[in-house]
Amino acid sequence: FAFLLDHLELERGIGKADILHTAQSLHHDHVPAEKAGLARAWIDRRFGQAGGGATVLPKNPPKVDYHFKSLADFAEAHRRGE
């Protein structure tokens, strides 16, 4: 994340406030994105199912800014302007 954020800021003028990190894995994606200070949208493809599937669930789940059951739900929220 550090390399990407530095590159976006220096080369493109895109800051953290302009980025929404969108991913499924709380462990592999959202924990480091939270540490990097990024806003996060969780695509919870296992919504309503126990466990984390092939992904380890973090001991301290990160807070997310948006929570969607699928990419389709995410896209629909975008269409509605949410």
Side-chain angles (χ1 to χ4, degrees):
F1 284 109
F3 174 82
L4 173 67
L5 293 172
D6 288 345
H7 174 75
L8 289 173
E9 181 70 35
L10 294 172
E11 302 293 325
R12 309 276 178 146
I14 299 171
K16 288 182 186 181
D18 301 312
I19 299 169
L20 176 63
H21 182 73
T22 304
Q24 188 273 329
S25 174
L26 292 174
H27 176 77
H28 292 105
D29 295 302
H30 290 284
V31 168
E34 181 178 55
K35 288 179 184 173
L38 295 173
R40 292 162 317 282
W42 180 24
I43 308 302
D44 184 5
R45 296 187 311 234
R46 293 187 51 81
F47 184 81
Q49 299 177 41
T55 304
V56 176
L57 291 176
K59 290 180 184 177
N60 297 313
K63 294 178 183 174
V64 296
D65 300 284
Y66 303 95
H67 182 189
F68 300 99
K69 297 177 190 176
S70 67
L71 281 172
D73 287 349
F74 175 65
E76 184 56 35
H78 174 70
R79 283 187 203 97
R80 291 190 308 262
E82 296 177 6

